Amino acid sequence: MRITVIGCGYLGAVHAACMAELGHEVLGIDVDQAKVDALAAGRAPFFEPGLPELLRSASATGRLRFTTDMSQAADYDAHFIAVGTPQKKGEFAADLSYVDAAVTSLVPHLKPGALVIGKSTVPVGTARRLAGIVEAGAPDAGLAWNPEFLREGFAVEDTLRPDRLVYGVPEGEAGERAKAVLDEIYAVALSNGTPLVVTGYETAELVKVSANAFLATKISFINAIAEVADVTGADVTKIADAIGYDDRIGRKFLNAGLGFGGGCLPKDIRAFQARAGELGADQALTFLREVDEINQRRRVRAVDLTREILDGTLRGKKVAVLGLAFKPNSDDIRDSPALDVAVQLRAQGARVIAYDPEAIVNAKRQHPELDYASSVEEAATDADAVVVLTEWKQFRELDPAAFGELVGAKNILDGRNCLDPEAWRAAGWQYRALGRP
Ligand code: UGA
């Protein structure tokens, strides 16, 4: 198939490269010339394992190109909309201006029979509204909604081998046509037995936000239990292990700690509440407000615990912050709990020196006031406390004895429950964690 991918951020760039890898002819379109230049040169403008290799191999086949020129879309059959839908400033609702701009600038170039395929996470009702815009400007074209479930850090794998496919298509013959196009695009995944759900626009939109709302709820659930564990001396990691053996519950996404961040879960649960409110179903999702609040409390708790291990005051203390990205294997700092804690520690008087294997460039841009180190060792030297805020492998594998030689005082906060308390205590450290005695 001849495919365009409009919006080449974390989602679109990976999608474009993977579609080319699957044998399609792909044109990535983005308004940002620097991003287009980097992608065209085979450089990923952000950190995503496997993406640079894929960009180079796909570009070498001649099947993957990038441009800022929307008019080139005229030669293509299917057009993925993969632009961002960030949270509006000062509101819970999603900002749809990028989606609207992408669709309205694409429509004049659509050839008869072309299919516009939405991938961005949008409030329910958006697809039907956009279908009206497509219909008005290009009556022979169609629109489908095909939500994306990829995780940053595993984006290439998740796109090449998705765990399910969801097509939101219009009723009747137009729906059949849209399904046929999507089946051709995803022929490889379908032939591998990937489960497929074909449904209407609204259901497809709700599948996506429901999935993220469920994941956010699962994380906040275990973090709420961690709060109770903290006041009883129980160990939340053991609770998660034990309840996780019940396969109705499952162990995944029960890692208690600093909670969720990133460009998806936080803004998606807020946009979902805002949309439900507009639709008169706000009561249905009031629990998501609690999910959000539990999540925010984790950050406060991490700062409080750091103060506690420093004998009640952060003022003038040197704190080594390990981790700034919202999760490992990513350089993404959008709504990052780690970065938030680093900033709060500094605001309360600590001398923060932060290290992250990939996220420092992004963190510096947003928070130039923090001090950054170029290695774990540099950050830790003479520190009064070390706080692990993103569970990068490099931090999980630190040797407590050797590491203890560097610091000023052996105090560690394990913000992600990713270290072995016994090993650290045996090496003479004061070890504290969220939800663990
Ligand atoms: C999330 C979903 O997992 C994807 O399925 C979805 O496609 C994506 O959003 C999206 O909407 O685009 P992602 O934001 O990449 O993916 O990150 P997750 O792996 O879901 O992690 C989110 C946050 O939850 C991270 O800050 C992570 O540290 C935290 N987390 C995750 C926990 O605190 N505990 C856990 O047990 C799991």
Side-chain angles (χ1 to χ4, degrees), residues 6 11 15 79-85 96 98-103 106 115-134 142-149 164-171 174-175 178-179 182 186 196-209 267:
I6 299 163
L11 166 61
H15 193 67
H79 307 273
F80 283 98
I81 305 296
V83 293
T85 51
L96 292 177
Y98 303 104
V99 171
D100 287 356
V103 172
L106 169 66
L115 184 66
V116 180
I117 307 166
K119 268 221 167 286
S120 309
T121 302
V122 292
V124 58
T126 305
R128 200 164 288 280
R129 179 173 64 77
L130 295 175
I133 296 174
V134 172
L143 179 129
W145 215 262
N146 170 224
E148 180 56 55
F149 305 102
R164 79 281 212 190
L165 289 164
V166 176
Y167 304 169
V169 295
E171 299 75 21
K179 179 176 180 300
L182 286 159
Y186 294 120
L196 168 64
V197 179
V198 182
T199 178
Y201 290 145
E202 290 75 14
T203 305
E205 292 167 316
L206 282 174
V207 166
K208 169 67 195 195
V209 284
K267 64 112 175 144

Side-chain angles (χ1 to χ4, degrees), residues 181-264:
V181 172
L182 286 159
D183 281 350
E184 199 173 330
I185 292 172
Y186 294 120
V188 174
L190 292 171
S191 71
N192 290 336
T194 306
L196 168 64
V197 179
V198 182
T199 178
Y201 290 145
E202 290 75 14
T203 305
E205 292 167 316
L206 282 174
V207 166
K208 169 67 195 195
V209 284
S210 307
N212 278 1
F214 189 87
L215 294 172
T217 304
K218 201 168 175 189
I219 299 167
S220 277
F221 170 82
I222 201 65
N223 281 330
I225 301 298
E227 289 188 14
V228 184
D230 261 343
V231 291
T232 54
D235 182 339
V236 73
T237 66
K238 297 268 166 51
I239 298 172
D241 289 345
I243 65 173
Y245 286 121
D246 182 335
D247 60 16
R248 293 170 303 175
I249 296 174
R251 179 63 178 80
K252 289 180 185 160
F253 270 65
L254 282 183
N255 293 323
L258 257 190
F260 60 83
C264 302

Side-chain angles (χ1 to χ4, degrees), residues 223-306:
N223 281 330
I225 301 298
E227 289 188 14
V228 184
D230 261 343
V231 291
T232 54
D235 182 339
V236 73
T237 66
K238 297 268 166 51
I239 298 172
D241 289 345
I243 65 173
Y245 286 121
D246 182 335
D247 60 16
R248 293 170 303 175
I249 296 174
R251 179 63 178 80
K252 289 180 185 160
F253 270 65
L254 282 183
N255 293 323
L258 257 190
F260 60 83
C264 302
L265 301 192
K267 64 112 175 144
D268 286 355
I269 60 168
R270 294 171 197 150
F272 199 10
Q273 291 169 73
R275 186 65 185 136
E278 285 167 12
L279 295 166
D282 43 347
Q283 275 188 330
L285 299 183
T286 47
F287 74 95
L288 288 178
R289 183 176 284 271
E290 195 60 41
V291 165
D292 207 352
E293 278 170 13
I294 293 166
N295 195 50
Q296 295 301 325
R297 281 206 296 274
R298 307 317 286 156
R299 306 176 185 193
V300 178
R301 175 78 182 143
V303 174
D304 289 349
L305 266 181
T306 311

Side-chain angles (χ1 to χ4, degrees), residues 68-111:
T68 54
D69 177 10
M70 184 66 91
S71 72
Q72 291 189 31
D75 293 335
Y76 289 77
D77 307 306
H79 307 273
F80 283 98
I81 305 296
V83 293
T85 51
Q87 187 177 338
K88 275 188 190 164
K89 288 219 172 1
E91 280 181 57
F92 268 21
D95 175 358
L96 292 177
S97 59
Y98 303 104
V99 171
D100 287 356
V103 172
T104 47
S105 61
L106 169 66
V107 164
H109 305 292
L110 289 173
K111 67 178 182 186

